[in-house]
Amino acid sequence: MAYSAKVMDHFSNPRNVGEMKDPSGVGEVGNPKCGDIMRMYIKVEHNIITDISFMTFGCGAAIATSSMATEMIKGKSIDEALKLTNKAVMEALDGLPPVKVHCSVLAEQAIKSAVADYYRRQGIDPTPIVGDIPECEACHV
Ligand code: FES
């Protein structure tokens, strides 16, 4: 299966890339299957994610899914951001080849990890709100 036009677009022209000054939360996750790393920054105001950016030391599919995920949650509430699944991001990209599904999990995990950091910085235990950060099933096969 070849990459969709949307994947190629977000890979070659990723949105919201880079470090953020004074973020409200930062999440960093690694993919045990390939060793790739993703860092996600969020700025939160009144429970809304007003800004988001990411840096990925990873493959094209990881870049494309992160780019699309940031576009999908920018301006949304934290609750909505936490509901974003890797499946929804993949659908928005018109699919990924099966061997690349695990790459999309990185974006979902990074968002949850950044939100968890946001709560921790305020002295709030994130576990009841964010839950366990899902492990990549594809990475355990
Ligand atoms: Fe590592 Fe895609 S191969 S995230």
Side-chain angles (χ1 to χ4, degrees):
M1 181 180 153
Y3 288 118
S4 71
K6 281 189 191 165
V7 172
M8 291 311 293
D9 174 31
H10 278 264
F11 167 54
S12 36
N13 179 25
R15 286 42 152 197
N16 309 309
V17 174
E19 260 180 272
M20 186 187 289
K21 277 196 172 168
D22 303 321
S24 312
V26 183
E28 187 171 296
V29 292
N31 189 327
K33 187 166 180 168
C34 60
D36 290 351
I37 293 171
M38 178 174 312
R39 194 176 301 155
M40 191 79 76
Y41 302 86
I42 54 170
K43 181 94 74 189
V44 180
E45 283 165 49
H46 306 296
N47 219 36
I48 300 292
I49 297 178
T50 55
D51 201 8
I52 180 162
S53 67
F54 76 95
M55 293 199 339
T56 295
F57 305 96
C59 72
I63 292 169
T65 46
S66 313
S67 169
M68 179 56 96
T70 58
E71 287 285 275
M72 288 170 85
I73 65 169
K74 200 177 199 176
K76 299 272 167 59
S77 69
I78 287 182
D79 282 359
E80 287 171 303
L82 289 175
K83 286 191 194 121
L84 185 76
T85 61
N86 72 306
K87 198 164 168 278
V89 177
M90 280 196 299
E91 279 168 11
L93 285 168
D94 295 335
L96 279 176
V99 294
K100 288 282 160 189
V101 170
H102 73 102
C103 313
S104 68
V105 177
L106 217 48
E108 181 186 330
Q109 290 173 323
I111 291 166
K112 290 195 163 78
S113 170
V115 171
D117 183 51
Y118 163 70
Y119 282 118
R120 251 184 249 113
R121 288 178 187 215
Q122 297 171 80
I124 299 168
D125 176 9
T127 315
I129 306 161
V130 178
D132 289 327
I133 297 184
E135 297 242 339
C136 170
E137 283 169 30
C139 294
H140 294 284
V141 290

